[in-house]
Amino acid sequence: MKIKAGIIGGAGYTGGEMLRILVNHPQVEIAFVNSSSNAGNLISDVHTDLFGDTDLKFTDQISQDIDVLFLCVGHGDAKKFLEANQINEKVKIIDLSQDFRLAQNSQLATRNFVYGLPELNKKKIQSAQNIANPGCFATCIQMGLLPLAAKGLLKSEVHINATTGSTGAGQSLSKTSHFSWRNNNLSIYKAFEHQHLNEIGESLAQLQGEVKEALNFIPQRGDFTRGILAAMYIESDLTEEAAYELYESYYASHPFTHVSRKNIDLKQVVNTNKCLIHLEKHGNKLFIISIIDNLLKGASGQAVQNMNLMFGLEETAGLKLKAIGF
């Protein structure tokens, strides 16, 4: 029997990516796609690339006859939705907002949310009822640092410069999302203060204990549509070969994360659920590059990866996606 999935907020970027994956997932049936602003409209009228793939329409109704519910809504809206709607406790929930990611916010009434980074919490995810899907910047940066934290090697400040595509800001228009502003442009925002630092810190502490040294994070808005490249460095006594062995060992059982001994670029991961990592040693500095697609491994792809784990499916089911290449 197929897993019955419902989607709340199906008209946005993450909702659209969720639909693109689940329409072709061999073990999932989409029960409903909720969008109050598009109720009655064909999904393919909003996500026009799905024309010919599905005849489903958006609805403003919510069915309880489902196995899993994806919350593809804005930050703050997931908590409001669950407070306003009684969802059967047997229904598994995967929330893509930031509402339940931090430990202090991970409980709502009888629901307890597990932080859904498979490369950190795979066993917990497999037995979880509710998942808080990680943030996109947080995913990319954590993947570059988890192997070091697992060995207690985050002993000096970490310097992080990470650039994201325009889809990371969501579908709602703002001054910094218009094509005329974003194209051929580059800007920094929330330097040293980005909200994803909190969840990164909790994950690193889970592996290493308290991380006393600073995470110096400089986020950038890139002039491209999708993808994140995080360039990080830290003082380290590891040789380059020892660092590669550490990273390759840590990610050996994780099918979407690959450590490359050649330099990497975003087109290798855009439109996939992959994370690629490249390492270099420069003097006493270990330089780490981590890349993902912010809408897939950074959002909807990782949510489906979590669903696969929760229901005992092959972790890669529905997620063997082709990179754009060029």
Side-chain angles (χ1 to χ4, degrees):
M1 294 182 64
K2 289 193 174 185
I3 297 165
K4 291 184 178 180
I7 300 172
I8 305 295
Y13 287 146
T14 58
E17 289 300 278
M18 189 68 65
L19 283 162
R20 293 177 186 98
I21 297 169
L22 295 184
V23 159
N24 294 298
H25 195 295
Q27 291 163 286
V28 172
E29 172 190 340
I30 301 175
F32 70 86
V33 185
N34 180 282
S35 172
S36 56
S37 61
N38 286 283
N41 294 334
L42 286 166
I43 285 171
S44 58
D45 284 344
V46 175
H47 302 295
T48 55
D49 57 295
L50 289 175
F51 179 74
D53 292 330
T54 179
D55 294 324
L56 279 172
K57 292 183 178 181
F58 290 105
T59 179
D60 57 4
Q61 302 300 306
I62 300 168
S63 171
Q64 299 281 353
D65 184 23
I66 55 174
D67 302 301
V68 61
L69 183 65
F70 292 96
L71 302 182
C72 300
V73 295
H75 303 313
D77 292 336
K79 184 178 180 181
K80 291 177 183 176
F81 172 84
L82 291 177
E83 288 174 340
N85 296 275
Q86 285 292 108
I87 303 300
N88 191 310
E89 290 185 12
K90 293 181 180 180
V91 175
K92 298 181 187 293
I93 292 177
I94 301 176
D95 173 33
L96 278 71
S97 81
Q98 67 182 13
D99 291 7
F100 304 106
R101 291 173 188 162
L102 301 182
Q104 64 186 29
N105 301 327
S106 64
Q107 289 186 318
L108 179 70
T110 59
R111 293 192 179 273
N112 181 53
F113 285 78
V114 171
Y115 187 67
L117 187 64
E119 292 77 7
L120 175 69
N121 285 330
K122 183 177 289 191
K123 289 185 178 179
K124 291 181 180 179
I125 293 166
Q126 288 171 328
S127 60
Q129 186 68 16
N130 308 289
I131 292 292
N133 217 55
C136 51
F137 266 136
T139 296
C140 192
I141 292 168
Q142 286 176 95
M143 302 298 272
L145 299 177
L146 291 180
L148 295 172
K151 295 295 184 181
L153 297 177
L154 295 177
K155 298 178 180 179
S156 64
E157 291 189 2
V158 183
H159 301 272
I160 307 161
N161 186 300
T163 307
T164 186
S166 58
T167 53
Q171 198 171 42
S172 298
L173 287 176
S174 67
K175 291 181 180 179
T176 58
S177 65
H178 285 284
F179 177 82
S180 57
W181 187 91
R182 195 97 181 198
N183 188 48
N184 295 323
N185 203 2
L186 189 66
S187 65
I188 292 170
Y189 70 110
K190 297 182 180 178
F192 300 100
E193 298 176 351
H194 197 279
Q195 65 273 14
H196 287 185
L197 281 169
N198 294 321
E199 58 184 284
I200 295 169
E202 286 194 356
S203 295
L204 299 180
Q206 181 179 324
L207 291 176
Q208 180 172 308
E210 183 182 2
V211 178
K212 297 180 180 180
E213 302 295 341
L215 300 176
N216 301 306
F217 176 27
I218 310 299
Q220 294 185 164
R221 303 180 182 96
D223 66 342
F224 49 92
T225 303
R226 55 197 294 168
I228 295 176
L229 186 150
M232 302 168 266
Y233 68 90
I234 183 174
E235 292 183 3
S236 175
D237 294 331
L238 291 172
T239 65
E240 185 170 289
E241 181 61 30
Y244 270 110
E245 290 176 0
L246 171 63
Y247 277 68
E248 289 166 350
S249 174
Y250 186 93
Y251 289 118
S253 62
H254 298 288
F256 290 111
T257 305
H258 307 280
V259 183
S260 171
R261 300 206 177 208
K262 297 179 180 179
N263 200 2
I264 54 180
D265 62 85
L266 274 183
K267 286 189 176 181
Q268 292 176 271
V269 297
V270 169
N271 201 47
T272 79
N273 198 53
K274 292 179 183 177
C275 173
L276 298 188
I277 296 170
H278 174 67
L279 307 171
E280 296 176 5
K281 194 69 190 293
H282 297 275
N284 70 336
K285 304 289 194 306
L286 178 63
F287 180 50
I288 307 154
I289 305 172
S290 176
I291 56 174
I292 65 168
D293 184 316
N294 58 293
L295 291 179
L296 288 171
K297 184 57 176 167
S300 303
Q302 185 151 248
V304 173
Q305 183 181 356
N306 283 323
M307 179 202 73
N308 289 340
L309 291 170
M310 295 167 81
F311 285 91
L313 304 179
E314 181 68 31
E315 190 171 350
T316 59
L319 292 169
K320 296 178 180 179
L321 307 171
K322 176 189 173 297
I324 59 170
F326 53 86

